[in-house]
Amino acid sequence: MSGGAGHIFSMIASLKNNKRNRKNLFDKNVHEQNEAYGKITDYKKMSPAQFEAFKQKLKENELRRQKNLTIVFGGIMIVIIGVLIYFLFFH
């Protein structure tokens, strides 16, 4: 065997030792209350009116996030451009 075979065997052993049974969050045996994420809501069970309200809420949140990002980015750019103009022309 060549010297590289040991690395391959150690990789295979590591993969065997790290193998674990993964559970899907939507399996029937998993509790609905997950400490990390809170209550799992299945949105496929929503009525059409609730689903439209949910989509509208998501759109509003995304629009609010984009406006905030634009304001912050614009403010930073104005400060950077102002500093550049000061150092280029007035210093």
Side-chain angles (χ1 to χ4, degrees):
M1 280 197 229
S2 67
H7 297 292
I8 295 171
F9 289 129
S10 65
M11 179 188 67
I12 292 171
S14 175
L15 289 174
K16 278 185 188 177
N17 291 335
N18 290 335
K19 185 187 282 188
R20 62 184 168 130
N21 294 331
R22 300 188 197 294
K23 293 196 180 213
N24 192 350
L25 289 177
F26 296 105
D27 285 342
K28 297 293 182 189
N29 297 334
V30 178
H31 300 291
E32 286 191 15
Q33 185 69 22
N34 189 346
E35 295 175 8
Y37 300 108
K39 184 168 174 54
I40 297 173
T41 305
D42 188 8
Y43 294 109
K44 292 180 183 178
K45 294 180 182 177
M46 286 181 164
S47 69
Q50 288 176 329
F51 187 63
E52 289 300 320
F54 176 72
K55 288 195 310 188
Q56 184 65 27
K57 182 179 168 186
L58 286 179
K59 285 181 184 178
E60 290 172 0
N61 288 343
E62 181 64 19
L63 185 62
R64 186 179 316 116
R65 188 190 69 81
Q66 286 180 352
K67 283 182 182 178
N68 289 342
L69 185 65
T70 303
I71 290 170
V72 169
F73 184 72
I76 291 172
M77 289 306 293
I78 288 174
V79 169
I80 290 173
I81 290 172
V83 169
L84 284 174
I85 289 174
Y86 173 76
F87 281 115
L88 286 175
F89 300 112
F90 300 112
H91 189 68

